[in-house]
Amino acid sequence: MSNEVKDIYKIKTTDKETLLKWYHLLKLGRSLDERAPNYLKQAIGWSYHAPAAGHDAIQLAIGQNFDRSKDHLFPYYRDLMTCLSAGLSAEEIIYNGISKDADVAGGGRHMSNHFAKPAWNIHNVSSCTGNHTLHAAGIARAIKTYKSKGVAISSQGESSVSEGYVYEAINGASNEQLPVVFVFQDNGYGISVPKKDQTANRKVAKNFEGMKNLKILYCNGKDVFDSMNVMAEAVRWAQEEQKPVIVHANCVRIHSHSNSDRHELYRDKAELNYVQEYDPIAKFRRLLVRYERATNEELDAIDVEVKAEVKAAHKKGLAAPHPAPESIHDFVFAPAYVPQKFPEGLHNEEGEPKKLIEALNGTLKEEFRRNPDTYIWGQDMANKDKGGIFNVSKGLQQEFGRERVFNAPIAEDYIMGTANGMSRYNKDIRIVVEGAEFADYFWPAMEQFVETTHEYWRTKGQYSPNITVRLASGGYIGGGLYHSQNIEGALTTFPGVRVVYPSYADDAAGLLRTAMRSEGMTLFLEPKALYNSPKAATPIPEEFEVPYGKARIRREGSDLTIITYGNTTHMCVDAANQLNDEGIGNIEVIDLRSLLPLDEETILASIKKTSRVLVVHEDKVFSGFGGEVSATITDLGFEYLDAPIKRVGSTFTPVGFNRTLEAATLPNVQKIKDAAIELLAY
């Protein structure tokens, strides 16, 4: 134990009632842990089980030092004892293990052994090992921002600390001075990979010793008293100092990593005997008897009590209903804001046109004034008079202050992950993040993006990440690699996120307002080539709103339907006007505005009228979003077509930096006209 830690808990002085309560919890946790593999053998469930045996003492201490009235706990998949100690019942553990509808973590929607109770601030954590460190940092930011008491506690194994986002979380918490306790339960292995293959330091916490504002405590995670004292000090210090703490707990892993692992293939008999000898529960029982704090008869009575408790919980678990198959469609998307003033997202406003960048900036400010629980952060977007690389956030920090508008590290996972965490604190919170300076740079955040898309579904509606992710997207700027690519084709494949892509200033304002008022996550893609373009400038009504899933007909026609969005919308309108003037055809242009959800109704109504379809977008034709539009039309409206669906997009190459190469790659008016003429000839 660290010499900085006071011995609050000792075998001789801790009251007997507390000692016996701990023993009961330890035995109950171990009994459930040992019973779990039997459910798999009997084909009842618990298809994933990571034994907690050997981690019992530190996990008891984590749970006992968690106060659900003010703290937030992020357990990992081995934290059965932690969650039991934090208050979950035996039946709640079993409901999760065998994936019953009564599972308080999320109604059996997550892997077994992923225990949680969001109603008690015991958060539902993913299988993506260690990623919840970012969520803990994010909610600790909220704790500090709202001047609340309490801390965030994040628990994980030592090998997951090798993940880059764990470094981002601890670095960010150190920099922001956030009240979060990071617990490393070190059992020496990452599945079968020994610790020496993970890090040069024998204790992984030493990798972080150079970070300012960070306290590091070491403890014997096999010893109840050492673990309790260190965890008590960690929570006290994090709360009082408003700074992060690492607790490095040495444990042993008594069994295999999980039920799909065979540890006898990589651990010799001497090691297997050693870990059995260091069983934390056996040691605790010996101490209780040796120091005459309890008799063997008293402890045996608790063992009998625990056996009966587990048996009763088992019966309740088996009797509980499974999730209904049709319920899989529930809680995919959180409730969207329903526009009141402009239900169709249309208007007849006349007045001075505003640029797309002005629309975004003005709407951000209006929504920040409307909801004081709104925040924005990102890279290089809050410095003095500069409002980001494109000036979209200009003036926000001056008006709303550094607490609500601030720069993030150049760490996209941290930007995205702490948004996920902070939004858990309060349902009124709305977060806007610039996920990356350019959409092309968003890929490092993909792990957290994917994680956030299924939070609402995974928790059965108990948590909704109310986040708008802004990304400056697309080419036509001579930006080249990592500055001009389109990524919507990849990001629309994930259930749980709405994806919008405006082409005009009014739609940019209306969609952003809807996104910021909605629950759930919206990916807001901004065609940066149009930020200051006169073509995209429009009058904008006050409080303009655009609903999700409502396309806009930019030009009515009868001979051909062009479906488009983003930068190419203006090219399609130009091409349609030219073809009309040339007497070649009367073309309808549909601006999707919303990619996910997609306005199938407007699309089908148009092709019923025209019988011909051209899908145009800036992204590559191969695997671009237009392929999904084409497939939808084929599936729902094939009988209306008199010609094959044709697509226009970029060539299957990156967008080149050289202007000549960029022009050869991207769609333009002439390419669109040529494709339309070919279709009209059918």
Side-chain angles (χ1 to χ4, degrees), residues 279-348:
D279 185 331
I281 299 178
K283 177 184 178 181
F284 185 58
R285 177 167 178 142
R286 289 194 299 268
L287 284 173
L288 292 175
V289 174
R290 182 187 308 158
Y291 286 91
E292 298 181 349
R293 302 309 313 280
T295 65
N296 278 314
E297 289 75 17
E298 288 175 312
L299 299 178
D300 288 343
I302 292 175
D303 293 349
V304 171
E305 182 183 331
V306 163
K307 188 175 181 180
E309 189 175 346
V310 172
K311 186 176 181 179
H314 166 72
K315 287 184 177 180
K316 287 184 179 180
L318 292 185
H322 291 287
E326 60 272 17
S327 71
I328 193 172
H329 301 291
D330 298 336
F331 305 107
V332 176
F333 291 96
Y337 170 76
V338 179
Q340 304 298 312
K341 296 182 179 179
F342 302 89
E344 299 298 315
L346 302 172
H347 66 90
N348 296 306

Coordinates of all heavy atoms in Angstrom, one line a residue, residues 279-348:
D279 N -5.7 -16.9 -3.3 CA -7.2 -16.6 -3.4 C -7.5 -15.6 -2.3 O -7.4 -15.8 -1.1 CB -8.0 -17.9 -3.1 CG -9.5 -17.7 -3.4 OD1 -10.0 -16.6 -3.1 OD2 -10.1 -18.7 -3.7
P280 N -8.1 -14.4 -2.8 CA -8.4 -13.3 -1.8 C -9.4 -13.7 -0.8 O -9.3 -13.2 0.4 CB -8.9 -12.2 -2.7 CG -8.3 -12.5 -4.1 CD -8.3 -14.0 -4.2
I281 N -10.4 -14.5 -1.2 CA -11.5 -14.8 -0.2 C -11.0 -15.8 0.9 O -11.3 -15.6 2.0 CB -12.7 -15.4 -1.0 CG1 -13.2 -14.4 -2.0 CG2 -13.8 -15.8 0.0 CD1 -14.4 -15.0 -2.8
A282 N -10.2 -16.8 0.5 CA -9.6 -17.7 1.4 C -8.7 -16.9 2.4 O -8.7 -17.2 3.7 CB -8.8 -18.8 0.7
K283 N -7.9 -15.9 1.9 CA -7.1 -15.1 2.8 C -7.9 -14.3 3.8 O -7.6 -14.3 5.0 CB -6.2 -14.2 2.0 CG -5.4 -13.3 2.8 CD -4.6 -12.3 2.0 CE -3.8 -11.3 2.9 NZ -3.0 -10.3 2.1
F284 N -9.0 -13.7 3.3 CA -9.9 -12.9 4.1 C -10.5 -13.8 5.2 O -10.6 -13.4 6.4 CB -10.9 -12.2 3.3 CG -11.8 -11.3 4.0 CD1 -11.3 -10.2 4.7 CD2 -13.2 -11.5 4.1 CE1 -12.1 -9.3 5.4 CE2 -14.0 -10.6 4.8 CZ -13.5 -9.5 5.4
R285 N -10.9 -15.0 4.9 CA -11.5 -15.9 5.9 C -10.5 -16.2 7.0 O -10.8 -16.2 8.2 CB -12.1 -17.1 5.2 CG -12.7 -18.1 6.3 CD -13.5 -19.2 5.6 NE -14.0 -20.1 6.7 CZ -15.2 -20.6 6.7 NH1 -16.1 -20.4 5.7 NH2 -15.6 -21.5 7.7
R286 N -9.3 -16.5 6.5 CA -8.3 -16.9 7.5 C -8.0 -15.7 8.5 O -7.8 -16.0 9.7 CB -7.0 -17.3 6.8 CG -7.0 -18.6 6.1 CD -5.6 -19.1 5.7 NE -5.0 -18.2 4.8 CZ -5.0 -18.3 3.4 NH1 -5.7 -19.2 2.9 NH2 -4.4 -17.4 2.7
L287 N -8.0 -14.5 8.0 CA -7.8 -13.4 8.8 C -8.9 -13.2 9.9 O -8.7 -12.9 11.0 CB -7.7 -12.1 8.0 CG -6.4 -11.8 7.2 CD1 -6.5 -10.6 6.3 CD2 -5.2 -11.6 8.2
L288 N -10.2 -13.4 9.4 CA -11.3 -13.2 10.3 C -11.2 -14.2 11.5 O -11.5 -13.9 12.6 CB -12.6 -13.4 9.5 CG -13.0 -12.3 8.5 CD1 -14.2 -12.8 7.7 CD2 -13.2 -11.0 9.1
V289 N -10.8 -15.4 11.1 CA -10.8 -16.5 12.2 C -9.5 -16.3 13.1 O -9.6 -16.3 14.3 CB -10.7 -17.9 11.6 CG1 -10.5 -19.0 12.6 CG2 -12.0 -18.1 10.8
R290 N -8.4 -16.0 12.4 CA -7.1 -15.8 13.2 C -7.2 -14.7 14.2 O -6.8 -14.8 15.3 CB -6.0 -15.6 12.2 CG -4.6 -15.4 12.9 CD -3.5 -15.0 11.9 NE -3.5 -15.9 10.8 CZ -3.0 -15.5 9.6 NH1 -2.5 -14.3 9.4 NH2 -3.0 -16.4 8.6
Y291 N -7.9 -13.6 13.8 CA -8.0 -12.4 14.7 C -9.3 -12.4 15.5 O -9.6 -11.4 16.1 CB -7.8 -11.1 13.9 CG -6.4 -10.9 13.5 CD1 -6.0 -11.3 12.2 CD2 -5.5 -10.2 14.3 CE1 -4.6 -11.1 11.8 CE2 -4.2 -9.9 13.9 CZ -3.8 -10.4 12.6 OH -2.5 -10.2 12.2
E292 N -9.9 -13.6 15.5 CA -11.1 -13.8 16.3 C -12.2 -12.7 16.0 O -12.9 -12.3 17.0 CB -10.8 -13.9 17.8 CG -9.8 -15.0 18.1 CD -9.5 -15.1 19.6 OE1 -9.9 -14.2 20.3 OE2 -8.9 -16.1 20.0
R293 N -12.3 -12.3 14.8 CA -13.4 -11.4 14.4 C -14.7 -12.2 14.0 O -15.7 -11.6 13.9 CB -12.9 -10.5 13.3 CG -11.7 -9.7 13.6 CD -11.8 -8.9 14.9 NE -13.0 -8.2 15.1 CZ -13.3 -7.0 14.6 NH1 -12.4 -6.4 13.9 NH2 -14.5 -6.4 14.8
A294 N -14.5 -13.4 13.7 CA -15.6 -14.3 13.4 C -15.2 -15.7 13.6 O -14.0 -16.1 13.5 CB -16.1 -14.1 11.9
T295 N -16.2 -16.6 13.9 CA -15.9 -18.0 14.1 C -16.2 -18.8 12.8 O -16.9 -18.3 11.9 CB -16.8 -18.6 15.2 OG1 -18.1 -18.6 14.7 CG2 -16.6 -17.8 16.5
N296 N -15.6 -19.9 12.7 CA -15.8 -20.8 11.5 C -17.3 -21.1 11.4 O -17.9 -21.2 10.3 CB -15.0 -22.1 11.6 CG -13.6 -21.9 11.1 OD1 -13.4 -21.3 10.1 ND2 -12.7 -22.4 11.9
E297 N -18.0 -21.3 12.5 CA -19.4 -21.6 12.5 C -20.2 -20.4 11.9 O -21.1 -20.6 11.1 CB -19.9 -21.9 13.9 CG -19.4 -23.2 14.5 CD -17.9 -23.2 14.9 OE1 -17.4 -22.0 15.1 OE2 -17.4 -24.2 15.0
E298 N -19.8 -19.2 12.3 CA -20.5 -18.0 11.7 C -20.3 -17.9 10.2 O -21.2 -17.6 9.5 CB -20.0 -16.7 12.4 CG -20.5 -16.6 13.9 CD -19.8 -15.4 14.5 OE1 -18.6 -15.2 14.4 OE2 -20.5 -14.6 15.2
L299 N -19.1 -18.1 9.8 CA -18.8 -18.0 8.4 C -19.4 -19.2 7.6 O -19.9 -19.0 6.5 CB -17.3 -18.0 8.2 CG -16.5 -16.9 8.9 CD1 -15.0 -17.0 8.7 CD2 -17.0 -15.5 8.4
D300 N -19.5 -20.3 8.2 CA -20.2 -21.5 7.5 C -21.7 -21.1 7.4 O -22.3 -21.5 6.4 CB -20.0 -22.7 8.4 CG -18.6 -23.3 8.3 OD1 -17.8 -22.9 7.4 OD2 -18.2 -24.2 9.2
A301 N -22.2 -20.5 8.4 CA -23.6 -20.1 8.3 C -23.9 -19.1 7.1 O -24.9 -19.2 6.4 CB -24.1 -19.5 9.6
I302 N -22.9 -18.2 6.9 CA -23.0 -17.3 5.8 C -22.9 -18.1 4.5 O -23.7 -17.8 3.5 CB -22.0 -16.2 5.9 CG1 -22.3 -15.3 7.0 CG2 -21.9 -15.4 4.6 CD1 -21.2 -14.2 7.3
D303 N -22.0 -19.1 4.4 CA -21.9 -19.9 3.2 C -23.2 -20.6 2.9 O -23.6 -20.6 1.7 CB -20.8 -21.0 3.4 CG -19.4 -20.4 3.6 OD1 -19.3 -19.2 3.3 OD2 -18.5 -21.1 4.0
V304 N -23.9 -21.1 3.9 CA -25.2 -21.7 3.7 C -26.2 -20.7 3.2 O -27.0 -21.0 2.3 CB -25.7 -22.4 5.0 CG1 -27.1 -22.9 4.8 CG2 -24.7 -23.6 5.3
E305 N -26.2 -19.5 3.8 CA -27.1 -18.5 3.4 C -26.9 -18.0 1.9 O -27.9 -17.9 1.2 CB -26.9 -17.3 4.3 CG -27.8 -16.1 4.1 CD -27.5 -14.9 5.0 OE1 -27.0 -15.2 6.1 OE2 -27.7 -13.8 4.6
V306 N -25.7 -18.0 1.5 CA -25.3 -17.6 0.2 C -25.8 -18.6 -0.8 O -26.3 -18.3 -1.9 CB -23.8 -17.3 0.0 CG1 -23.4 -17.4 -1.4 CG2 -23.4 -16.0 0.7
K307 N -25.6 -19.9 -0.5 CA -26.0 -21.0 -1.3 C -27.5 -20.9 -1.6 O -28.0 -21.1 -2.7 CB -25.7 -22.3 -0.7 CG -25.9 -23.5 -1.6 CD -25.4 -24.8 -0.9 CE -25.6 -26.0 -1.9 NZ -25.1 -27.3 -1.3
A308 N -28.3 -20.6 -0.5 CA -29.8 -20.5 -0.7 C -30.1 -19.3 -1.5 O -31.1 -19.3 -2.3 CB -30.4 -20.4 0.7
E309 N -29.4 -18.2 -1.3 CA -29.6 -16.9 -2.1 C -29.4 -17.1 -3.6 O -30.2 -16.7 -4.4 CB -28.7 -15.8 -1.5 CG -29.0 -14.5 -2.0 CD -28.2 -13.4 -1.4 OE1 -27.6 -13.7 -0.3 OE2 -28.2 -12.2 -1.9
V310 N -28.3 -17.8 -3.9 CA -28.0 -18.1 -5.3 C -29.1 -19.0 -5.9 O -29.5 -18.8 -7.1 CB -26.6 -18.7 -5.5 CG1 -26.4 -19.2 -6.9 CG2 -25.6 -17.7 -5.1
K311 N -29.5 -20.0 -5.2 CA -30.5 -21.0 -5.6 C -31.8 -20.2 -5.9 O -32.5 -20.5 -7.0 CB -30.7 -22.1 -4.6 CG -31.7 -23.2 -5.1 CD -31.8 -24.3 -4.1 CE -32.7 -25.4 -4.5 NZ -32.8 -26.5 -3.5
A312 N -32.2 -19.3 -5.1 CA -33.4 -18.6 -5.3 C -33.3 -17.6 -6.5 O -34.3 -17.5 -7.3 CB -33.8 -17.8 -4.0
A313 N -32.2 -17.0 -6.6 CA -31.9 -16.1 -7.8 C -31.9 -16.9 -9.1 O -32.5 -16.5 -10.1 CB -30.6 -15.4 -7.6
H314 N -31.4 -18.1 -9.0 CA -31.4 -19.0 -10.2 C -32.8 -19.3 -10.6 O -33.1 -19.2 -11.8 CB -30.6 -20.3 -9.9 CG -30.8 -21.4 -10.8 ND1 -30.3 -21.4 -12.1 CD2 -31.6 -22.6 -10.7 CE1 -30.6 -22.5 -12.7 NE2 -31.4 -23.2 -11.9
K315 N -33.7 -19.6 -9.7 CA -35.1 -19.9 -10.0 C -35.8 -18.7 -10.7 O -36.5 -18.9 -11.6 CB -35.8 -20.4 -8.8 CG -35.4 -21.8 -8.3 CD -36.3 -22.2 -7.1 CE -36.0 -23.6 -6.7 NZ -36.8 -24.1 -5.5
K316 N -35.5 -17.6 -10.1 CA -36.1 -16.3 -10.7 C -35.6 -16.1 -12.1 O -36.3 -15.7 -13.0 CB -35.8 -15.1 -9.8 CG -36.6 -15.1 -8.5 CD -36.3 -13.8 -7.7 CE -37.1 -13.7 -6.4 NZ -36.7 -12.5 -5.7
G317 N -34.3 -16.3 -12.3 CA -33.7 -16.1 -13.6 C -34.3 -17.0 -14.6 O -34.6 -16.6 -15.7
L318 N -34.5 -18.3 -14.3 CA -35.0 -19.2 -15.3 C -36.5 -18.9 -15.6 O -36.9 -19.1 -16.7 CB -34.9 -20.7 -14.7 CG -33.5 -21.3 -14.6 CD1 -33.6 -22.7 -14.2 CD2 -32.7 -21.1 -15.9
A319 N -37.2 -18.4 -14.6 CA -38.6 -18.1 -14.8 C -38.9 -16.8 -15.6 O -39.9 -16.6 -16.1 CB -39.3 -18.0 -13.5
A320 N -37.9 -15.9 -15.6 CA -38.0 -14.6 -16.2 C -38.1 -14.7 -17.7 O -37.5 -15.6 -18.4 CB -36.9 -13.7 -15.9
P321 N -38.9 -13.9 -18.4 CA -39.1 -14.0 -19.8 C -37.9 -13.5 -20.6 O -37.1 -12.7 -20.2 CB -40.3 -13.1 -20.1 CG -40.3 -12.1 -19.0 CD -39.8 -12.8 -17.8
H322 N -37.7 -14.1 -21.8 CA -36.7 -13.7 -22.7 C -37.2 -12.4 -23.4 O -38.4 -12.1 -23.5 CB -36.4 -14.8 -23.8 CG -35.8 -16.0 -23.2 ND1 -34.4 -16.0 -22.9 CD2 -36.2 -17.2 -23.0 CE1 -34.1 -17.2 -22.4 NE2 -35.2 -18.0 -22.5
P323 N -36.3 -11.6 -24.0 CA -36.8 -10.5 -24.8 C -37.6 -11.0 -26.0 O -37.3 -12.0 -26.6 CB -35.4 -9.9 -25.3 CG -34.4 -10.4 -24.4 CD -34.8 -11.7 -24.0
A324 N -38.6 -10.2 -26.3 CA -39.5 -10.6 -27.5 C -38.7 -10.3 -28.8 O -38.0 -9.3 -28.9 CB -40.7 -9.8 -27.5
P325 N -38.7 -11.3 -29.7 CA -37.9 -11.1 -31.0 C -38.2 -9.8 -31.7 O -37.3 -9.1 -32.2 CB -38.3 -12.3 -31.8 CG -38.7 -13.3 -30.8 CD -39.4 -12.6 -29.7
E326 N -39.5 -9.4 -31.7 CA -39.8 -8.1 -32.4 C -39.3 -6.9 -31.7 O -39.2 -5.8 -32.3 CB -41.3 -8.0 -32.6 CG -42.1 -8.0 -31.3 CD -42.5 -9.4 -30.8 OE1 -41.9 -10.4 -31.2 OE2 -43.4 -9.4 -29.9
S327 N -38.9 -7.0 -30.4 CA -38.4 -5.8 -29.7 C -37.0 -5.4 -30.2 O -36.6 -4.3 -29.8 CB -38.3 -6.1 -28.2 OG -37.3 -7.1 -27.9
I328 N -36.4 -6.2 -31.1 CA -35.1 -5.8 -31.6 C -35.2 -4.5 -32.3 O -34.2 -3.7 -32.4 CB -34.5 -6.9 -32.5 CG1 -33.0 -6.7 -32.7 CG2 -35.3 -7.0 -33.8 CD1 -32.3 -7.8 -33.5
H329 N -36.3 -4.1 -32.8 CA -36.5 -2.9 -33.6 C -36.7 -1.7 -32.7 O -36.8 -0.5 -33.2 CB -37.6 -3.0 -34.6 CG -37.4 -4.1 -35.6 ND1 -36.5 -4.1 -36.5 CD2 -38.0 -5.3 -35.7 CE1 -36.5 -5.2 -37.2 NE2 -37.4 -6.0 -36.8
D330 N -36.9 -1.9 -31.4 CA -37.2 -0.8 -30.5 C -35.9 -0.1 -30.0 O -34.9 -0.8 -29.9 CB -37.9 -1.3 -29.2 CG -39.3 -1.9 -29.5 OD1 -39.9 -1.5 -30.6 OD2 -39.8 -2.8 -28.7
F331 N -35.9 1.2 -29.8 CA -34.8 1.9 -29.3 C -33.6 2.0 -30.2 O -32.5 2.1 -29.7 CB -34.4 1.4 -27.9 CG -35.5 1.3 -26.9 CD1 -36.1 0.1 -26.5 CD2 -36.0 2.5 -26.3 CE1 -37.1 0.1 -25.6 CE2 -37.1 2.5 -25.4 CZ -37.6 1.3 -25.1
V332 N -33.8 1.9 -31.5 CA -32.7 2.0 -32.4 C -32.3 3.5 -32.5 O -31.2 3.9 -32.4 CB -33.0 1.5 -33.8 CG1 -31.9 1.8 -34.8 CG2 -33.3 0.0 -33.7
F333 N -33.4 4.4 -32.7 CA -33.2 5.8 -32.7 C -33.9 6.5 -31.5 O -35.0 6.1 -31.2 CB -33.7 6.4 -34.0 CG -33.0 6.0 -35.3 CD1 -33.4 5.0 -36.0 CD2 -31.8 6.7 -35.6 CE1 -32.7 4.6 -37.2 CE2 -31.1 6.4 -36.7 CZ -31.5 5.3 -37.5
A334 N -33.2 7.4 -30.9 CA -33.8 8.2 -29.8 C -34.8 9.1 -30.5 O -34.7 9.4 -31.7 CB -32.7 8.9 -29.0
P335 N -35.8 9.6 -29.7 CA -36.8 10.5 -30.3 C -36.2 11.8 -30.9 O -35.4 12.5 -30.3 CB -37.7 10.9 -29.0 CG -37.4 9.8 -28.1 CD -36.0 9.3 -28.3
A336 N -36.7 12.1 -32.1 CA -36.2 13.2 -32.8 C -37.1 14.4 -32.5 O -38.3 14.3 -32.1 CB -36.2 13.0 -34.3
Y337 N -36.5 15.6 -32.5 CA -37.3 16.8 -32.4 C -38.3 16.9 -33.6 O -37.8 16.8 -34.8 CB -36.4 18.0 -32.3 CG -37.2 19.4 -32.4 CD1 -37.9 19.9 -31.3 CD2 -37.1 20.1 -33.5 CE1 -38.6 21.1 -31.4 CE2 -37.8 21.3 -33.6 CZ -38.5 21.8 -32.6 OH -39.2 23.0 -32.6
V338 N -39.5 17.2 -33.4 CA -40.5 17.4 -34.4 C -40.7 18.9 -34.7 O -41.3 19.6 -33.8 CB -41.8 16.7 -34.1 CG1 -42.8 16.9 -35.2 CG2 -41.6 15.2 -33.8
P339 N -40.3 19.4 -35.8 CA -40.5 20.8 -36.1 C -42.0 21.2 -36.0 O -42.9 20.5 -36.4 CB -40.0 21.0 -37.5 CG -39.0 19.9 -37.7 CD -39.6 18.7 -36.9
Q340 N -42.2 22.4 -35.4 CA -43.5 22.9 -35.2 C -43.9 24.0 -36.2 O -45.0 24.0 -36.8 CB -43.6 23.5 -33.7 CG -43.3 22.5 -32.7 CD -44.2 21.3 -32.6 OE1 -45.4 21.4 -32.7 NE2 -43.6 20.1 -32.6
K341 N -43.0 24.9 -36.4 CA -43.3 26.1 -37.3 C -43.1 25.7 -38.7 O -43.9 26.3 -39.6 CB -42.3 27.2 -36.9 CG -42.5 27.8 -35.5 CD -41.5 29.0 -35.3 CE -41.7 29.6 -33.9 NZ -40.7 30.7 -33.7
F342 N -42.2 24.8 -39.0 CA -42.0 24.4 -40.5 C -42.0 22.9 -40.6 O -40.9 22.3 -40.7 CB -40.7 25.0 -40.9 CG -40.6 26.5 -40.8 CD1 -40.1 27.1 -39.7 CD2 -41.0 27.3 -41.9 CE1 -40.0 28.5 -39.6 CE2 -40.9 28.7 -41.8 CZ -40.4 29.3 -40.6
P343 N -43.1 22.2 -40.5 CA -43.2 20.8 -40.4 C -42.6 20.1 -41.6 O -42.2 18.9 -41.5 CB -44.7 20.5 -40.2 CG -45.4 21.7 -40.6 CD -44.5 22.9 -40.3
E344 N -42.7 20.7 -42.8 CA -42.1 20.1 -44.0 C -40.7 20.6 -44.3 O -40.2 20.2 -45.3 CB -43.1 20.4 -45.2 CG -44.5 19.8 -45.0 CD -44.5 18.3 -44.9 OE1 -43.7 17.6 -45.7 OE2 -45.2 17.8 -44.0
G345 N -40.2 21.5 -43.5 CA -38.9 22.1 -43.8 C -38.9 23.0 -45.1 O -37.9 23.0 -45.8
L346 N -40.0 23.7 -45.3 CA -40.2 24.5 -46.5 C -40.6 25.9 -46.0 O -41.2 26.1 -45.0 CB -41.2 24.0 -47.5 CG -40.9 22.5 -48.0 CD1 -42.1 22.0 -48.8 CD2 -39.7 22.5 -48.8
H347 N -40.3 26.9 -46.9 CA -40.7 28.3 -46.5 C -40.7 29.2 -47.8 O -40.3 28.8 -48.8 CB -39.6 28.9 -45.5 CG -38.3 29.1 -46.1 ND1 -37.9 30.3 -46.8 CD2 -37.2 28.3 -46.2 CE1 -36.6 30.1 -47.2 NE2 -36.2 28.9 -46.9
N348 N -41.3 30.3 -47.6 CA -41.3 31.3 -48.7 C -40.7 32.6 -48.3 O -41.2 33.7 -48.8 CB -42.8 31.5 -49.2 CG -43.4 30.3 -49.7 OD1 -42.9 29.7 -50.6 ND2 -44.6 29.9 -49.1

